[in-house]
């Protein structure tokens, strides 16, 4: 079954089942999830990681079934299985589940597979790492059987990360539904156009179109998308934004607002991890060399090349208000996905944190690591060398954000003062 | 593969060498401090962010929030410690053991500086 995302170029989104999707890699996915898991002693993190995915899976498939005219159960299950693989989450079969629930297992699931390929098993007593897929499939089952949101309970009963041979989830009907909300779908979206500066010959819109045409497809067997030396997913953008905001709200409620800087640091660091690994891999890929590099005359031009990539991977549009240079610059976001999701609900954050880490990380890649002029090894040693050693090479803060009541998201990147 | 090496730094790992990423042999001594000891926290902080992960300190503090607050230490102080900040030995033990739990790394004894 062919599953295609619908690019919306004026929003910089990739839409499927009414949900904007963003491309991220397993580095970011794991770091982001681990940041949340670290708070498990303060509140039940499943209520954020699993429930948010359930809300989105439910909304996505209700919408998609309607779009596709999928009314019978077999057709709906086939749609879910195909979308699950198309997005790079892995391979599942829903053959054995009914409206009352059942078990689903697979040897291939993004989080579990990349974890198990890397580490020894998690300690006994810990749960598996496949929170997202658990909630996503619970929401999908509700949509398949026209059940109300929150009526399907779930638990993960086996995981590659625990040394099991498969990932397994158990789904079951609940007497009292979970307190879930429908996904905001395209949320408080913004629209705009590619900003093409006159002083560069980098064809930003052309690059966007070329990246949109890249075949970032899952492996036939595994349903995992390996590209640029990383393992990618197309994840609903609302997941990251809503999880971030809900995590901050829950932990502040449990511990107090004093904890916020620690939580923000971790979410910002997730953005660094994303910049270093996802963007770093893209900037050193054969595809970048073929499609973008011929137009790059200076380090500054690398930012314009990335401005073409952003909307093609669902990250919205960016406009550099100053010519990017080694001292920093200002970046305006149009339809940044975190903001768009968070602003559509009741929220506690006053700016989107991952954007800060992402952009300061990109600056560090281009000017500190000097990636335009040398290839770098994307490992922990390099990360420490270029991203943090006595001083952070760049820091970013929002001059103002839509989440703080401003009409736009405007970020400043700068060289920070030396630490003691 | 490099991504495996990278991700390996984010989680506890029994496979990790007991030699720190900075090349220092930190294996042999397990640091144990008494509750009466006072420890200068800045050297510990600097070693952790340089040798474990840039944000390892935040992860450690996240795990130990209640213990930090129980010592009447404000989180904003311990997140970015100054050179004159000291913490009780028991809390230092906890921070060091949390580092071990999260990253499989032991702190060299020279980093844990008692103050008189």
């Amino acid at each position: 079954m062919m599953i295609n995302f619908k690019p919306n170029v004026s929003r910089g989104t990739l839409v499927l089942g009414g949900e904007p999707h963003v491309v991220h890699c397993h580095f970011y996915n794991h770091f982001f999830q681990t940041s949340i898991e670290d708070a498990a002693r303060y509140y039940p993190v499943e209520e954020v990681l699993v429930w948010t995915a359930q809300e989105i899976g439910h909304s996505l498939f209700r919408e998609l079934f309607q779009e596709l005219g999928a009314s019978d159960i077999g057709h709906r299950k086939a749609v879910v299985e195909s979308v699950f693989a198309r997005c790079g989450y892995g391979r599942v079969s829903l053959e054995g589940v009914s409206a009352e629930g059942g078990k689903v297992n697979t040897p291939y699931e993004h989080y579990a597979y990349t974890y198990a390929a890397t580490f020894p098993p998690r300690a006994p007593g810990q749960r598996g790492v496949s929170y997202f897929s658990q909630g996503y499939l619970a929401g999908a089952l509700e949509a398949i059987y026209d059940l109300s949101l929150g009526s399907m309970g779930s638990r993960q009963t086996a995981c590659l990360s625990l040394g099991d041979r498969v990932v397994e989830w158990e789904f079951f009907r609940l007497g009292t539904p979970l307190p879930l909300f429908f996904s905001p779908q395209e949320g408080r979206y913004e629209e705009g156009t590619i900003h093409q500066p006159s002083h560069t010959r980098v064809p930003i819109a052309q690059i966007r179109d070329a990246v949109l045409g890249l075949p970032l497809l899952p492996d036939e067997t595994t349903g995992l998308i390996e590209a640029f030396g990383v393992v990618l997913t197309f994840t609903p953008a609302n997941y990251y934004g809503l999880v971030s905001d809900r995590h901050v709200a829950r932990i502040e409620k449990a511990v107090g607002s004093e904890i916020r800087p620690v939580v923000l640091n971790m979410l910002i660091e997730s953005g660094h991890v994303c910049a270093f690994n996802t963007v770093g891999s893209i900037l050193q890929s054969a595809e970048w060399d073929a499609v973008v590099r011929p137009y790059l005359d200076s380090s500054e031009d690398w930012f314009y090349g990335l401005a073409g990539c952003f909307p093609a991977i669902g990250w919205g549009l960016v406009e550099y208000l100053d010519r990017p240079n080694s001292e920093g610059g200002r970046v305006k976001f149009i339809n940044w996905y975190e903001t768009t999701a968070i602003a559509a609900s009741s929220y506690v954050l006053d700016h989107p944190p991952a954007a800060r880490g992402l952009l300061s990380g990109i600056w560090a890649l281009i000017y500190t690591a000097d990636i335009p002029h040398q290839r770098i090894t994307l490992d922990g040693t390099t990360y420490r060398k270029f991203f943090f050693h006595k001083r952070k090479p760049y820091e970013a803060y929002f001059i103002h954000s839509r989440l703080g009541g401003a009409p736009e998201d405007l970020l400043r990147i700068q060289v920070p003062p030396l630490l003691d | 593969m490099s991504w495996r090496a990278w991700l390996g730094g984010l989680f506890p790992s029994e496979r990790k060498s007991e030699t720190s990423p900075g090349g220092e042999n930190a294996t042999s001594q397990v640091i144990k401090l008494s509750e009466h000891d006072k420890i200068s926290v800045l050297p510990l902080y600097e070693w952790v962010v340089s040798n474990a992960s840039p944000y390892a300190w935040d992860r450690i503090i996240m795990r130990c929030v209640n213990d930090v607050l129980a010592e009447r230490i404000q989180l904003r102080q311990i997140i970015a410690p100054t050179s004159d900040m000291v913490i009780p030995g028991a809390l230092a033990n906890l921070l060091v053991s949390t580092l071990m739990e999260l990253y499989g790394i032991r702190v060299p004894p020279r980093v844990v500086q008692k103050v008189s």
Side-chain angles (χ1 to χ4, degrees):
Chain A
M1 182 182 299
M2 285 291 291
I3 300 292
N4 293 313
F5 297 97
K6 294 178 190 159
N8 183 326
V9 294
S10 63
R11 297 179 193 174
T13 55
L14 302 170
V15 181
L16 179 66
E19 291 287 332
H21 284 64
V22 290
V23 177
H24 270 296
C25 76
H26 66 289
F27 296 106
Y28 177 76
N29 287 334
H30 274 296
F31 195 93
F32 180 76
Q33 180 168 288
T34 301
S35 302
I36 313 298
E37 268 195 313
D38 278 344
R41 64 187 59 186
Y42 307 114
Y43 77 92
V45 296
E46 287 194 3
E47 293 182 7
V48 169
L49 290 169
V50 174
W51 291 5
T52 304
Q54 185 162 347
E55 293 172 356
I56 292 167
H58 181 106
S59 295
L60 187 159
F61 287 107
R62 274 175 56 137
E63 177 87 14
L64 191 58
F65 295 155
Q66 197 163 27
E67 282 178 27
L68 299 174
S71 54
D72 74 86
I73 299 300
H75 187 191
R76 288 180 172 186
K77 285 184 175 179
V79 169
V80 173
E81 291 165 358
S82 296
V83 169
F84 196 84
R86 176 65 188 88
C87 292
Y89 310 149
R91 289 277 176 202
V92 290
S93 168
L94 301 180
E95 199 175 32
V97 291
S98 70
E100 296 307 310
K103 290 185 175 180
V104 175
N105 67 57
T106 174
Y108 301 116
E109 191 274 339
H110 173 81
Y111 285 89
Y113 188 87
T114 52
Y115 189 103
T118 312
F119 314 111
R122 278 154 73 101
Q126 286 194 279
R127 60 150 287 154
V129 296
S130 305
Y131 297 88
F132 171 80
S133 297
Q134 177 185 329
Y136 186 82
L137 290 173
L141 289 173
E142 291 167 353
I144 288 170
Y145 291 105
D146 292 319
L147 303 174
S148 58
L149 176 63
S151 60
M152 190 64 77
S154 61
R155 68 173 72 96
Q156 186 169 2
T157 50
C159 188
L160 305 178
S161 70
L162 297 169
D164 300 315
R165 298 181 66 171
V166 294
V167 176
E168 184 177 78
W169 305 276
E170 186 177 354
F171 301 96
F172 45 88
R173 289 285 289 278
L174 294 167
T176 306
L178 302 170
L180 307 187
F181 301 90
F182 289 102
S183 166
Q185 298 188 301
E186 293 215 60
R188 289 279 180 89
Y189 65 82
E190 294 179 296
E191 297 194 324
T193 55
I194 291 275
H195 176 70
Q196 176 66 55
S198 58
H199 57 263
T200 179
R201 67 186 183 94
V202 177
I204 297 175
Q206 183 180 317
I207 290 168
R208 175 201 61 204
D209 294 343
V211 176
L212 280 171
L214 282 178
L216 297 176
L217 297 171
D219 178 82
E220 281 287 322
T221 304
T222 66
L224 304 173
I225 303 170
E226 295 203 42
F228 313 130
V230 295
V231 188
L232 300 174
T233 53
F234 288 80
T235 301
N238 293 334
Y239 184 70
Y240 298 115
L242 294 177
V243 164
S244 297
D245 191 73
R246 290 169 178 182
H247 171 56
V248 172
R250 291 295 296 267
I251 196 166
E252 283 191 343
K253 187 176 178 189
V255 177
S257 59
E258 213 183 349
I259 192 73
R260 185 176 292 209
V262 183
V263 179
L264 281 179
N265 276 351
M266 296 308 301
L267 296 173
I268 293 166
E269 178 62 2
S270 297
H272 285 151
V273 170
C274 172
F276 184 72
N277 294 288
T278 309
V279 178
S281 300
I282 290 171
L283 295 181
Q284 298 196 118
S285 66
E287 291 85 350
W288 177 269
D289 285 346
V291 173
V292 185
R293 196 146 190 170
Y295 298 103
L296 306 179
D297 300 321
S298 65
S299 294
E300 178 187 341
D301 278 342
W302 286 60
F303 290 93
Y304 304 124
L306 279 172
C309 296
F310 267 51
I313 56 177
W315 292 4
L317 301 134
V318 291
E319 179 181 344
Y320 305 104
L321 298 190
D322 312 302
R323 292 180 63 162
N325 61 72
S326 61
E327 294 300 309
R330 290 175 303 154
V331 180
K332 177 182 169 185
F333 291 96
I334 300 165
N335 205 32
W336 176 250
Y337 67 88
E338 289 179 286
T339 304
T340 295
I342 295 168
S345 59
S346 62
Y347 58 91
V348 298
L349 285 170
D350 58 10
H351 68 269
R356 293 173 61 187
L358 176 69
L359 267 292
S360 56
I362 289 172
W363 245 265
L365 277 175
I366 292 177
Y367 288 116
T368 311
D370 196 23
I371 209 168
H373 300 109
Q374 62 176 346
R375 294 192 79 80
I376 62 171
T377 304
L378 298 171
D379 61 14
T381 304
T382 313
Y383 185 86
R384 277 190 289 274
K385 182 178 174 187
F386 291 124
F387 279 71
F388 195 103
H389 186 69
K390 298 291 182 189
R391 64 180 292 183
K392 300 173 193 173
Y394 291 97
E395 66 182 11
Y397 65 90
F398 273 89
I399 297 169
H400 52 241
S401 168
R402 291 198 281 148
L403 297 179
E408 62 181 8
D409 282 336
L410 182 59
L411 186 73
R412 181 184 295 283
I413 296 93
Q414 64 183 21
V415 178
L418 277 170
L419 298 177
D420 290 337
Chain B
M1 292 174 67
S2 62
W3 63 267
R4 293 180 183 180
W6 161 250
L7 266 179
L10 302 180
F11 300 95
S13 168
E14 291 158 16
R15 290 178 194 154
K16 269 203 169 234
S17 159
E18 297 236 337
T19 300
S20 77
E24 297 176 85
N25 188 320
T27 65
S28 50
Q29 285 182 269
V30 177
I31 299 160
K32 277 294 167 196
L33 301 159
S34 87
E35 59 187 72
H36 304 297
D37 290 329
K38 295 288 182 190
I39 303 302
S40 175
V41 73
L42 186 61
L44 178 61
Y45 162 82
E46 289 183 333
W47 191 90
V48 166
V49 298
S50 295
N51 292 281
S53 155
Y55 279 78
W57 188 255
D58 293 314
R59 290 191 71 202
I60 291 168
I61 299 303
M62 175 76 89
R63 295 266 185 139
C64 304
V65 167
N66 291 337
D67 304 275
V68 171
L69 296 177
E71 296 291 345
R72 301 183 184 279
I73 297 170
Q74 294 186 345
L75 290 177
R76 61 183 167 77
Q77 291 178 309
I78 202 162
I79 291 166
T82 52
S83 56
D84 59 349
M85 185 178 181
V86 294
I87 57 173
L91 181 57
N93 280 336
L94 181 63
L95 299 179
V96 167
S97 65
T98 304
L99 175 72
M100 182 68 190
E101 180 192 342
L102 288 172
Y103 294 91
I105 295 175
R106 282 185 185 151
V107 175
R110 65 165 177 78
V111 172
V112 184
Q113 296 174 2
K114 292 182 192 176
V115 294
S116 50

